[in-house]
Amino acid sequence: MTDAAHRLLWTIIALLLVAGGAAALAASYGVLPGGDPGATLLSARLLHQWRLATPWTTLAAAVAGALLALSGHHLLRAELRRPRSAVRGTLSHPGRRPGRTRVAADVLVHALERDLTGAPGVRRARVVLTGAPPRPDVWIRVDLAADTPTARVREHVRAAVRRFATTAGCQPAHLDVTARIEPGRP
């Protein structure tokens, strides 16, 4: 699922929750047409039918709650895991002479993260490699201190990516860098 699809999904969920809350609030104040603020939200007829089917209504409510909980768990798990197309295993590069050089992708990711955090003012760095190994997409997020000059960090990131490309023997097809600045002291 793309980032735009994720944003759309969470926007739809948020709008549904807001609409449900607004409808319940409007009903409680009697703003809805035909509504009475002193009346109960559920009619006596509906409560009577609920009580007539007592064991099955409780079971139906429990099953509906369990299904909602499972779908919420599935959605959160899908949101929190790494991208499916993340490069795992080894990057293989043919040498000038017969043979191949193999480097674990995790080793390259950790090395690039360590290189990025070596700049003054960079608190944390997170790197994800996706796509095909000869030309992977590189996703970088750096967390900066409030007083860090961004021009210096930009140059450091460029140099770190150049070193990464030289070390890995592959040029990034796409580079996405996100810088988050931590709030400073008052």
Side-chain angles (χ1 to χ4, degrees):
M1 199 179 251
T2 64
D3 287 339
H6 283 269
R7 285 191 298 272
L8 178 64
L9 175 67
W10 285 108
T11 302
I12 290 170
I13 289 172
L15 288 175
L16 287 173
L17 290 172
V18 167
L25 187 63
S28 72
Y29 282 119
V31 177
L32 294 178
D36 179 20
T40 59
L41 190 58
L42 301 176
S43 67
R45 181 175 176 252
L46 183 63
L47 287 174
H48 178 68
Q49 288 183 355
W50 178 271
R51 290 182 184 132
L52 281 177
T54 296
W56 299 110
T57 54
T58 306
L59 181 62
V63 168
L67 288 175
L68 281 173
L70 284 174
S71 63
H73 177 265
H74 177 71
L75 182 62
L76 279 175
R77 195 179 75 199
E79 289 292 322
L80 296 176
R81 85 174 139 216
R82 288 182 118 180
R84 287 184 194 151
S85 61
V87 178
R88 291 186 177 84
T90 58
L91 292 176
S92 181
H93 186 67
R96 293 183 190 151
R97 298 183 182 153
R100 292 186 144 332
T101 302
R102 294 178 185 262
V103 180
D106 288 342
V107 171
L108 290 173
V109 165
H110 293 306
L112 183 54
E113 286 174 350
R114 239 185 353 263
D115 192 2
L116 290 168
T117 55
V122 176
R123 304 279 186 200
R124 284 176 293 284
R126 170 94 166 95
V127 176
V128 175
L129 297 177
T130 61
R135 292 193 41 89
D137 296 331
V138 180
W139 305 87
I140 299 173
R141 187 190 78 208
V142 289
D143 295 340
L144 306 174
D147 57 348
T148 305
T150 55
R152 187 181 308 162
V153 173
R154 184 181 302 122
E155 289 305 316
H156 181 74
V157 168
R158 283 184 186 151
V161 170
R162 276 195 303 267
R163 287 189 292 271
F164 166 79
T166 302
T167 302
C170 56
Q171 199 63 15
H174 175 79
L175 175 64
D176 187 270
V177 180
T178 303
R180 296 189 321 176
I181 301 174
E182 295 177 349
R185 294 182 184 144

